[in-house]
Amino acid sequence: MSNDVPSGSKTVTKSAYRQPVTPEGLKAIEQGTLTWLDDEMYNNLNTGVLEQYLEEKNLRESFEISHWNTSKVLIGIGIGAIFSGVTAYIGLKLGLAISAAWYIAYLLGMALKWSPSEVNIATSATTGATHASTGFIFTFPAIFLLATKPAYLLADGPLVTLQDGDTFTLAFIGIVASMFAGFLGVMYFIIFRRVWLVEDPLPLPGFEATLKMLDISSDVSTGAVEHARDSLKTIGVWTGLTMIGLFLVEYPLIWMNDRKVALLDFIAESLHWGDIGLATFYSNGKIHQPSGTEDGVSLGYTQWSESTAWNPFAYTYIGVALTPSMFAIGWFMKTRVAFLVNMGTIVGWFFLVPLAVYTNFPIYDPIQQANVPVQEYASGGSAALQMLAFSKTIRTIAIGAIVGGGMFGLAKMWRTFANIFSDIGSAFSGEGSQEYMEGKGWYEWPLKHIPIFMIVTFFAMILIFTIGGFSPIAAFVFATVLILTTFMLGAIAVRVMGETGIEPVSGTSFIVLLMLLGVFLNFQDLLSLNTQDAVLLGLVGTTVFGSAISMSGTVIGDYKNSLYIGNRPYHISKGNIMGVVPGAIIGAGVAIFLSIQLAEGRIDLIAPQANAFATFSIIFAEGQGDLVLLGLGFLLGMFIEWATGMGTSFGLGMYLDVPHTLPMLIGGVARDRWEDKKLQPRIDALKEEKGTTEAEKQRALILLGTFMVAAGLLTGEAFFGTESSILSFIDSIWLNADGTGKTIMGVENFPDSMAWYSIRMAGLIFINVAVGYVIYFLFKRAGVIGGDSKSLEA
């Protein structure tokens, strides 16, 4: 069924995530009365009709609103650069680059009474600085894991050996190259902005929270603080509740018997009788299937052995992680998108993982340098074979599905891309560009700069990697791969982010790693590379790629908000580009330091992507890559894309585990049920009492109130993760090289002493009091606390 709506000389087609336009919204568009941040705008987000209307409005009027202010942008860059290091820690801990930088930047902008336009431009620099080093979070740590961690040793020693000075050289190559790649990532998405944000807008679940923050800044800057007061109170309350909840779930509050556990884990482990107890169902922040316990301590996963082969739970892993941010993302997604993401997880964990364990599927063991049937890992005892099968086989299929779905999805849009490429061709041939408004300036970053910067980046990469000690021909091959993959795979990654709110940087980075290793390892003589250099060049190159597409994903969110508030895309691009350099330097520096600590066992972080990259590097360096599984995943992703239009989202779900996708589904279902059972009856009653217009206005306000709750869940987890990262880093300072505790101030084994326990707790309280005071000061400065609208208007 088509739903074509004329807009000038163009038509809008219905997509998998298109929302229907409301009658009042259509009327306001036809009359030209709909404007930025009004109720009808909120009621018609992602309709396509609204976005095309606002694009035309912005072309006419944004030059009166969107103004560049260097000092304010520099403030945004400073916040983002500081938080880029924090994001590095959280990314290594959770596998997701969650950051509170945007929240801090928005609050500061409100405190200084910036307009929504100024806040949006400044925070575009903040997000640019925060995400410029994403590749160093997901990929670069694999180098140190391969060089140091015993789990990745081969029969004849480590695959990678780092000599004195090698770390500095690799860091220099990666950081400088990531800067150029980050610029390129921002510029590439200029091509797709009109397609995926205007003509066929991607929903980008979660963007509503930042849009609402811009709306609040408008209230504050104009003196109407009542609306801002209520919204900020909601965010603050739920941020606080989230942090308290995570304190109970994650903070190592109980220190006893040489163990440090969170309060909920301690309670679960205490409630047991023999090997039967609550810990069999709950551990480490997850409610999960029965796993069994040993002395009251959860085994974590249902263990497979010959005697437990009858147990279906030994073939899979079902659970719910107590992660508020995933629930919040699901709330923004709603049921359909959350279900499609979970479908990938369901296929992976309820079919493919059990099948691999049941059929005794062989997985590659780097120590034995052979494919070992998975059940042999349980010989002489028991093991979580489902986790081995998932990490070493199913994730390969998932990566193929992400790319297959994305490729097929892009192929379906060939007519749209053909029109874009026609426009690009005209711009490149010097026929002029509609992005420049005579007498006013640039509305959008000039397309002519893209081929120029492609050439600059191409030769810069060759020069950087050659200076770093790699052969010029190998650097030439990498530069070519980077230019092409940043465009194609970056487009896929951005589309996934637009559908789900999560950008699969690691998933698409796997493809680049496979491509690079495939070339470098098979043509070592031609490229003047030994095996170690081939692996290092592949990992550093993939790090650079990850930073490039992360910037593409970052700029889409800033572009989307700018469309709804009347900012020029040119200023958003400029802000992101300016944030790249300091963000890449600081974020990468912190990530590299943490990677060394992680590899040497001084800190305990999951680092799922880094471990996966290390595993894949060994597999392919030893000639054991399973391209058949990758191909099967590619075909599966294409089929799901053809059947549902969201194949890339399906692949992402397969890449994740059940405990982290199930909260998304719970959040999506909860929102739909709440709208059906609670919101809709209330709106229907208002329609009868006060009419459709007032009812739709109230719908928008009520729904936005729930977005503030979700924003509180997101920021609460980000804040608590920040605090945990600071304390965990300090923990590592008190450790010797062999992992034993240092003697500090006469206290032996200081990190396990009551003295450090007390200092650590006092530090946590101090951090929260300090942050609370800063937020209070900002609210006070903005007039949200202890002020009134009259005082602000004076």
Side-chain angles (χ1 to χ4, degrees), residues 29-92:
I29 289 173
E30 291 174 347
Q31 294 177 347
T33 58
L34 191 152
T35 191
W36 309 291
L37 300 176
D38 68 13
D39 295 328
E40 287 308 321
M41 188 202 79
Y42 281 112
N43 286 333
N44 290 279
L45 297 177
N46 298 317
T47 60
V49 180
L50 169 69
E51 284 72 18
Q52 292 192 36
Y53 167 81
L54 289 178
E55 177 77 355
E56 295 172 3
K57 181 180 177 68
N58 292 346
L59 282 167
R60 297 190 308 269
E61 304 176 23
S62 64
F63 293 90
E64 302 299 323
I65 297 173
S66 183
H67 300 291
W68 180 265
N69 187 307
T70 302
S71 61
K72 293 175 181 177
V73 170
L74 290 176
I75 292 174
I77 291 174
I79 295 172
I82 294 171
F83 272 84
S84 65
V86 174
T87 303
Y89 185 93
I90 296 174
L92 288 169

Side-chain angles (χ1 to χ4, degrees), residues 11-344:
T11 60
V12 182
T13 57
K14 185 176 182 179
S15 70
Y17 27 77
R18 174 65 52 77
Q19 303 296 319
V21 64
T22 65
E24 290 296 324
L26 188 58
K27 181 179 179 181
I29 289 173
E30 291 174 347
Q31 294 177 347
T33 58
L34 191 152
T35 191
W36 309 291
L37 300 176
D38 68 13
D39 295 328
E40 287 308 321
M41 188 202 79
Y42 281 112
N43 286 333
N44 290 279
L45 297 177
N46 298 317
T47 60
V49 180
L50 169 69
E51 284 72 18
Q52 292 192 36
Y53 167 81
L54 289 178
E55 177 77 355
E56 295 172 3
K57 181 180 177 68
N58 292 346
L59 282 167
R60 297 190 308 269
E61 304 176 23
S62 64
F63 293 90
E64 302 299 323
I65 297 173
S66 183
H67 300 291
W68 180 265
N69 187 307
T70 302
S71 61
K72 293 175 181 177
V73 170
L74 290 176
I75 292 174
I77 291 174
I79 295 172
I82 294 171
F83 272 84
S84 65
V86 174
T87 303
Y89 185 93
I90 296 174
L92 288 169
K93 177 185 178 183
L94 301 176
L96 295 171
I98 300 174
S99 173
W102 67 270
Y103 185 58
I104 296 294
Y106 274 54
L107 285 177
L108 185 60
M110 289 159 49
L112 299 176
K113 296 185 175 63
W114 295 351
S115 69
S117 172
E118 293 170 329
V119 173
N120 181 227
I121 294 171
T123 53
S124 70
T126 301
T127 55
T130 303
H131 292 93
S133 58
T134 301
F136 285 88
I137 301 172
F138 294 148
T139 308
F140 205 77
I143 295 174
F144 302 103
L145 294 176
L146 291 171
T148 309
K149 202 163 185 178
Y152 296 106
L153 293 177
L154 302 175
D156 55 351
L159 178 63
V160 171
T161 302
L162 298 178
Q163 305 297 330
D164 291 341
D166 286 350
T167 298
F168 177 82
T169 300
L170 292 173
F172 168 79
I173 296 172
I175 291 173
V176 177
S178 290
M179 293 178 187
F180 282 92
F183 301 151
L184 191 65
V186 173
M187 290 189 178
Y188 267 164
F189 192 75
I190 295 170
I191 301 171
F192 300 108
R193 186 193 71 86
R194 186 169 187 88
V195 179
W196 286 340
L197 294 183
V198 179
E199 296 178 358
D200 191 15
L202 293 167
L204 197 65
F207 94 94
E208 296 93 340
T210 53
L211 182 60
K212 181 57 181 174
M213 293 292 285
L214 290 171
D215 198 345
I216 294 172
S217 69
S218 176
D219 291 336
V220 173
S221 66
T222 58
V225 300
E226 289 304 320
H227 193 191
R229 191 192 308 270
D230 293 340
S231 297
L232 288 172
K233 181 180 179 181
T234 301
I235 293 178
V237 168
W238 282 96
T239 297
L241 291 175
T242 300
M243 296 179 69
I244 292 172
L246 289 173
F247 173 82
L248 301 176
V249 171
E250 296 184 5
Y251 186 82
L253 184 63
I254 309 300
W255 293 20
M256 57 185 301
N257 299 327
D258 297 325
R259 296 182 66 230
K260 302 173 183 179
V261 297
L263 179 61
L264 289 189
D265 281 301
F266 174 75
I267 293 173
E269 292 174 6
S270 300
L271 299 177
H272 74 96
W273 181 54
D275 287 336
I276 300 175
L278 183 59
T280 194
F281 297 102
Y282 173 84
S283 63
N284 300 317
K286 298 184 184 73
I287 302 170
H288 52 71
Q289 65 189 39
S291 63
T293 63
E294 185 173 337
D295 296 328
V297 179
S298 175
L299 295 176
Y301 310 104
T302 306
Q303 310 293 300
W304 190 97
S305 66
E306 291 185 0
S307 62
T308 63
W310 58 269
N311 187 350
F313 287 131
Y315 297 85
T316 188
Y317 181 55
I318 307 170
V320 178
L322 302 183
T323 167
S325 61
M326 290 299 179
F327 178 88
I329 290 173
W331 185 271
F332 289 123
M333 283 181 178
K334 303 187 71 172
T335 300
R336 185 181 184 277
V337 178
F339 177 72
L340 286 172
V341 172
N342 269 264
M343 278 299 295

Side-chain angles (χ1 to χ4, degrees), residues 204-525:
L204 197 65
F207 94 94
E208 296 93 340
T210 53
L211 182 60
K212 181 57 181 174
M213 293 292 285
L214 290 171
D215 198 345
I216 294 172
S217 69
S218 176
D219 291 336
V220 173
S221 66
T222 58
V225 300
E226 289 304 320
H227 193 191
R229 191 192 308 270
D230 293 340
S231 297
L232 288 172
K233 181 180 179 181
T234 301
I235 293 178
V237 168
W238 282 96
T239 297
L241 291 175
T242 300
M243 296 179 69
I244 292 172
L246 289 173
F247 173 82
L248 301 176
V249 171
E250 296 184 5
Y251 186 82
L253 184 63
I254 309 300
W255 293 20
M256 57 185 301
N257 299 327
D258 297 325
R259 296 182 66 230
K260 302 173 183 179
V261 297
L263 179 61
L264 289 189
D265 281 301
F266 174 75
I267 293 173
E269 292 174 6
S270 300
L271 299 177
H272 74 96
W273 181 54
D275 287 336
I276 300 175
L278 183 59
T280 194
F281 297 102
Y282 173 84
S283 63
N284 300 317
K286 298 184 184 73
I287 302 170
H288 52 71
Q289 65 189 39
S291 63
T293 63
E294 185 173 337
D295 296 328
V297 179
S298 175
L299 295 176
Y301 310 104
T302 306
Q303 310 293 300
W304 190 97
S305 66
E306 291 185 0
S307 62
T308 63
W310 58 269
N311 187 350
F313 287 131
Y315 297 85
T316 188
Y317 181 55
I318 307 170
V320 178
L322 302 183
T323 167
S325 61
M326 290 299 179
F327 178 88
I329 290 173
W331 185 271
F332 289 123
M333 283 181 178
K334 303 187 71 172
T335 300
R336 185 181 184 277
V337 178
F339 177 72
L340 286 172
V341 172
N342 269 264
M343 278 299 295
T345 311
I346 290 169
V347 170
W349 283 96
F350 295 162
F351 178 69
L352 295 177
V353 170
L355 184 65
V357 177
Y358 179 77
T359 60
N360 205 14
F361 193 85
I363 59 177
Y364 184 69
D365 188 315
I367 298 294
Q368 301 183 43
Q369 295 189 354
N371 286 308
V372 178
V374 67
Q375 292 181 12
E376 290 190 14
Y377 284 92
S379 299
S382 60
L385 302 186
Q386 64 271 53
M387 307 310 295
L388 283 172
F390 171 66
S391 62
K392 297 195 175 184
T393 60
I394 310 310
R395 272 194 162 166
T396 305
I397 300 175
I399 294 166
I402 290 173
V403 178
M407 289 291 191
F408 192 75
L410 293 176
K412 292 193 301 183
M413 301 173 65
W414 71 271
R415 292 184 183 276
T416 302
F417 284 115
N419 293 332
I420 297 174
F421 294 144
S422 176
D423 294 339
I424 295 171
S426 298
F428 291 167
S429 63
E431 296 179 11
S433 172
Q434 295 180 346
E435 285 78 18
Y436 184 79
M437 309 298 289
E438 196 66 36
K440 295 183 178 180
W442 289 101
Y443 174 74
E444 191 162 23
W445 196 278
L447 289 173
K448 291 181 180 180
H449 287 189
I450 297 176
I452 296 173
F453 204 80
M454 286 172 62
I455 296 171
V456 171
T457 301
F458 181 79
F459 287 104
M461 292 299 165
I462 295 175
L463 178 63
I464 293 168
F465 279 85
T466 301
I467 293 176
F470 297 101
S471 68
I473 188 171
F476 173 85
V477 171
F478 166 70
T480 303
V481 171
L482 177 70
I483 296 296
L484 296 176
T485 55
T486 302
F487 180 78
M488 292 304 298
L489 295 181
I492 295 172
V494 169
R495 184 181 174 189
V496 174
M497 182 176 180
E499 293 175 352
T500 67
I502 300 175
E503 186 179 20
V505 175
S506 53
T508 47
S509 294
F510 271 115
I511 299 301
V512 174
L513 180 62
L514 299 180
M515 293 172 62
L516 293 176
L517 291 182
V519 174
F520 296 152
L521 291 171
N522 288 306
F523 299 95
Q524 292 185 44
D525 293 337

Side-chain angles (χ1 to χ4, degrees), residues 523-544:
F523 299 95
Q524 292 185 44
D525 293 337
L526 176 64
L527 301 177
S528 301
L529 296 171
N530 57 34
T531 300
Q532 171 171 303
D533 286 344
V535 172
L536 287 175
L537 183 54
L539 289 171
V540 176
T542 305
T543 297
V544 175

